[in-house]
Amino acid sequence: MEKLQQAATIFLFLSLTSFLANLLTAAVATPPAVFVFGDSTVDVGNNNFLPSGAPKADHPHYGVDFPDHIPTGRFSNGLLAVDFVAHAAGIHRSPPPFLSLDPNVFYPRPGVSFASAGCGVLDTTGTDVLTMTQQIKDFSTFVGDLTAAEGAQAAAAFLSKSLFYVSVGSNDLFSFFPVLIPGNSTQKDEIVASVLFQFEGQLRSIYNLGARKFAVVGTGQLGCIPGIRIRVLGGACSPDLNDLSLRYKNAVRALLDLLFVELEGFKFSFSDFFEMTSLVQSDPQQYGITELAAACCGSGSLNAEGPCIPNATYCPDRKQYFSWDAIHPTQALYRLAAELSVNGPPPFAYPINIHTLLQST
Ligand SMILES: *[C@@H]1O[C@H](CO)[C@@H](O)[C@H](O)[C@H]1NC(C)=O
Ligand SMILES: *[C@@H]1O[C@H](CO)[C@@H](O)[C@H](O)[C@H]1NC(C)=O
């Protein structure tokens, strides 16, 4: 395992620039559509349409590096990993938010983003958000419309070739942070099992509606985000939250291995965001990152005590920051994660990368 990781690191070192070139030029099999489920790591604007209790990135300085500097609802300074992944899959950027679509018009291409910032695997995580249960219900409606328009066989073929990108779970784990008992692994395993049980049901539901090609993003080093660091002595990472996230992402990966064996035609690429962030933290300079701890946009300690709102300050050198606000990564980080997800080796993209997933028949 260690050897494999070492080889992977060397491979990365040698070919980071070629990843960049690959993203732009590689002939990746184009899926007919991309469907996105999850939280703020993939929300491209659904929450703009939700009640005021829902978290929103519809104001400056969100989107400061987006074309025309417009806040779109993306929780970053620019694009998200899902935008780069969709681009590599032959789609301009993430498919549009479900709530922005005219319900009287049916657009099967290029797909739909059902994602909603603040949601979790558990329906009890998040306020005023589209829960995963609701997101799957909305997808079910889409599948009904698709089947009515094109017939069952064509709909099944369309869905089986499409990419299903799922990024959720961090908000569930964050909600347990205040009650974590230091070093108690029994407690962590109980939390992991309860969240995983619901997530398994959700993946099975999406599969049962016709999805076959899954790109699932694992939770990262949640204990190292600025919003958690300011609650830990000396601004250090929370080892217990990191450990909870490590256990959870490993459990999700094992679940995907199990579903691959059990469900006919189920294929997946697991984007191991935890390993990706470990890689960056082990040698940030190599990836152009000079600030690992503080948020770029916000106020107070580590720029993470106050939200990223119009009167907050933001850093001029966004490419050198790991975190954009107290919780979310910068576009620079998302771009790197997308490169590793699409073209990278294990353990970053496991057992195959998204490029290979899309080429599979
Ligand atoms: C660890 O967590 C378990 C389950 O939540 C609990 O029953 C147990 O008392 C905890 N142990 C300690 C030492 O706090
Ligand atoms: C920004 O404005 C809000 C009120 O809208 C205020 O509570 C906050 O302290 C201000 N923050 C800064 C950094 O000035």
Side-chain angles (χ1 to χ4, degrees):
M1 189 60 200
E2 197 141 276
K3 245 191 184 144
L4 182 70
Q5 289 214 353
Q6 215 168 42
T9 309
I10 291 165
F11 172 75
L12 267 176
F13 183 78
L14 294 176
S15 53
L16 195 65
T17 38
S18 75
F19 283 158
L20 271 168
N22 272 347
L23 258 190
L24 304 173
T25 59
V28 171
T30 304
V34 176
F35 297 94
V36 184
F37 300 84
D39 56 24
S40 60
T41 54
V42 283
D43 186 354
V44 292
N46 274 317
N47 277 26
N48 295 351
F49 299 89
L50 295 180
S52 62
K56 291 179 206 283
D58 58 353
H59 52 79
H61 305 289
Y62 288 99
V64 65
D65 295 313
F66 199 81
D68 298 327
H69 318 290
I70 47 165
T72 58
R74 286 169 175 79
F75 281 78
S76 189
N77 55 311
L79 297 164
L80 309 179
V82 66
D83 291 303
F84 293 112
V85 169
H87 188 77
I91 290 161
H92 179 49
R93 53 176 80 114
S94 165
F98 174 70
L99 295 178
S100 74
L101 303 174
D102 180 344
N104 300 309
V105 184
F106 177 60
Y107 311 92
R109 291 179 180 78
V112 184
S113 176
F114 300 102
S116 175
C119 88
V121 168
L122 307 177
D123 281 349
T124 47
T125 301
T127 0
D128 285 351
V129 301
L130 304 175
T131 61
M132 278 296 284
T133 303
Q134 184 61 45
Q135 293 180 34
I136 294 168
K137 216 177 262 178
D138 293 337
F139 174 56
S140 171
T141 304
F142 175 93
V143 173
D145 292 348
L146 179 70
T147 307
E150 306 199 2
Q153 219 171 5
F158 179 93
L159 293 170
S160 71
K161 291 185 202 131
S162 294
L163 179 67
F164 289 78
Y165 193 87
V166 185
S167 182
V168 68
S170 303
N171 291 324
D172 301 289
L173 305 187
F174 282 135
S175 71
F176 288 104
F177 177 66
V179 299
L180 282 179
I181 304 162
N184 188 328
S185 55
T186 311
Q187 183 203 24
K188 286 174 199 148
D189 287 340
E190 283 172 1
I191 295 168
V192 165
S194 68
V195 179
L196 192 75
F197 176 76
Q198 293 298 321
F199 191 50
E200 175 174 358
Q202 291 161 1
L203 291 177
R204 285 179 186 273
S205 297
I206 298 170
Y207 170 88
N208 287 336
L209 287 164
R212 292 296 177 268
K213 295 186 178 185
F214 288 82
V216 178
V217 183
T219 52
Q221 296 201 20
L222 301 180
C224 293
I225 64 162
I228 295 293
R229 283 177 188 263
I230 56 168
R231 295 154 78 175
V232 178
L233 199 67
C237 302
S238 158
D240 281 299
L241 191 52
N242 275 353
D243 186 40
L244 178 65
S245 182
L246 177 70
R247 285 165 194 264
Y248 183 69
K249 71 91 179 168
N250 282 339
V252 168
R253 193 184 56 193
L255 168 66
L256 292 167
D257 277 330
L258 190 130
L259 294 177
F260 176 74
V261 172
E262 188 194 315
L263 302 176
E264 197 186 338
F266 180 95
K267 300 181 193 77
F268 74 96
S269 173
F270 177 68
S271 298
D272 200 327
F273 197 61
F274 198 100
E275 294 297 332
M276 294 177 193
T277 49
S278 300
L279 180 77
V280 173
Q281 283 173 356
S282 68
D283 189 5
Q285 302 270 352
Q286 197 197 312
Y287 303 96
I289 305 291
T290 56
E291 183 55 63
L292 283 174
C296 172
C297 182
S299 58
S301 172
L302 292 180
N303 234 10
E305 282 177 320
C308 178
I309 48 178
N311 67 348
T313 59
Y314 66 95
C315 63
D317 45 354
R318 269 99 56 197
K319 288 190 174 139
Q320 295 174 27
Y321 273 65
F322 188 101
S323 295
W324 163 246
D325 64 12
I327 301 170
H328 305 98
T330 54
Q331 170 178 283
L333 227 286
Y334 274 136
R335 180 194 288 270
L336 177 65
E339 284 156 7
L340 289 168
S341 304
V342 174
N343 293 310
F348 310 106
Y350 169 93
I352 55 172
N353 58 38
I354 293 175
H355 180 106
T356 306
L357 176 71
L358 290 175
Q359 283 177 325
S360 67
T361 49

